[in-house]
Amino acid sequence: MEDSNLPFRIWLKAMHLMTITKKSISALEMQRQLGLKRYEPVLYMMHKLRIAMGKRDSKYELSGDVELDDAFITVIRIDKDKNDPLKRGRGSQKKRSILVMVSKETIKTKKGKKVEVPRFVKLLAMDNLDETSVTEGVFDSVDTANTDIKSDAYPSFRKLKDLVRSHKPKVTPPNKGHVYLKWVHCIIGNLKRITNGIHHHINDENLQLYLNEFAYKFNRRNFDCRFDNILRASLAMTWG
């Protein structure tokens, strides 16, 4: 709330609206709900809350069984030269690569059946997916000594076997990836629905902030006091 001209009650209402549902809320809808005239202060306020969410989640590491995969999110690049020919595939100017990691656990249902469910997720916006960037991203996100990673056989994942307890890469056809990496593909699908259906146009520079919000809310999907959690995370933030 530092250096903000918005009243505290506006901040509290924004925290409530951002955490009341598992899905996200656009800045325009937030502006309408709060009854404010200007869009920019609302967007800046929401970005500050997303930064707080990211810093809170950065304190925790994934461990145990972890699924890993890469994905691409459509973004707007302000610095892109409009005269440059549009590329397709991994090098497209409209796409930003992200690294998706999901930890899993096995639980018993009320009927005594064992099922595998997701626990926590980490989402990282990547400038590229070379071996060095991938290794650094995974090293900062998991408890390397107690993590077993499953992934596809993408070449940049090769060095992970030297980083974690075990790494199980597997060559999978495009139509079978969701079978071997069930939960990571589920997360990617849900993320794309939110970014495309709610936010529509995400600035490349701010992509990590939206990933912060998605991961923060997913990791606390079963919490009863989500408003209290974001309030504590925001109060713990320092600017300077």
Side-chain angles (χ1 to χ4, degrees):
M1 304 177 188
E2 186 177 344
D3 298 329
S4 174
N5 293 322
L6 296 175
F8 286 169
R9 61 180 176 81
I10 295 295
W11 281 86
L12 297 177
K13 286 182 179 180
M15 292 178 192
H16 172 69
L17 291 172
M18 288 183 73
T19 56
I20 195 173
T21 175
K22 291 182 180 180
K23 295 185 178 181
S24 187
I25 181 173
S26 68
L28 279 174
E29 181 61 26
M30 179 72 77
Q31 180 187 0
R32 296 188 192 100
Q33 294 288 344
L34 297 178
L36 299 178
K37 294 182 179 179
R38 295 186 61 226
Y39 171 81
E40 289 77 11
V42 175
L43 181 64
Y44 187 51
M45 173 178 60
M46 295 179 72
H47 282 348
K48 274 193 170 184
L49 293 175
R50 288 169 179 140
I51 291 172
M53 292 176 180
K55 286 189 175 294
R56 192 70 167 185
D57 268 2
S58 66
K59 296 181 178 181
Y60 307 105
E61 295 179 327
L62 303 182
S63 62
D65 294 329
V66 174
E67 292 182 5
L68 167 69
D69 202 0
D70 64 298
F72 295 90
I73 299 295
T74 301
V75 295
I76 298 176
R77 295 183 184 271
I78 297 178
D79 58 348
K80 183 181 76 68
D81 189 346
K82 295 182 179 179
N83 296 322
D84 288 345
L86 184 62
K87 300 177 182 178
R88 303 182 68 177
R90 289 186 177 272
S92 174
Q93 298 95 325
K94 288 187 176 182
K95 301 290 184 180
R96 179 78 182 274
S97 55
I98 65 172
L99 206 59
V100 184
M101 289 163 277
V102 183
S103 63
K104 307 176 296 181
E105 65 179 342
T106 301
I107 63 172
K108 279 189 176 182
T109 64
K110 293 181 179 179
K111 296 182 179 181
K113 184 180 179 180
K114 291 184 178 181
V115 295
E116 191 178 71
V117 297
R119 296 180 63 206
F120 306 111
V121 63
K122 289 269 190 178
L123 302 170
L124 303 177
M126 308 292 287
D127 292 327
N128 57 70
L129 288 171
D130 59 24
E131 285 187 346
T132 301
S133 300
V134 168
T135 302
E136 290 177 355
V138 173
F139 179 80
D140 293 338
S141 303
V142 306
D143 178 4
T144 55
N146 299 296
T147 300
D148 304 299
I149 290 182
K150 288 174 59 177
S151 73
D152 59 20
Y154 185 57
S156 293
F157 298 160
R158 287 178 298 188
K159 288 186 177 180
L160 295 181
K161 66 179 185 299
D162 302 323
L163 179 66
V164 296
R165 185 167 58 188
S166 70
H167 177 218
K168 301 175 183 177
K170 183 177 181 180
V171 178
T172 55
N175 61 340
K176 296 293 184 180
H178 67 283
V179 177
Y180 183 62
L181 301 172
K182 174 183 176 181
W183 291 114
V184 77
H185 278 257
C186 181
I187 293 296
I188 293 171
N190 290 341
L191 174 64
K192 288 185 176 182
R193 289 189 186 96
I194 287 177
T195 55
N196 295 333
I198 296 178
H199 300 296
H200 303 299
H201 304 290
I202 294 180
N203 189 320
D204 177 47
E205 295 180 354
N206 297 325
L207 175 59
Q208 184 61 56
L209 301 182
Y210 292 93
L211 299 182
N212 290 348
E213 180 185 4
F214 180 92
Y216 181 90
K217 295 174 73 171
F218 181 87
N219 293 338
R220 291 157 183 80
R221 62 197 181 279
N222 297 321
F223 286 19
D224 294 327
C225 303
R226 289 188 292 270
F227 174 81
D228 294 349
N229 288 313
I230 185 57
L231 183 60
R232 283 193 294 267
S234 301
L235 292 174
M237 280 288 297
T238 56
W239 301 90

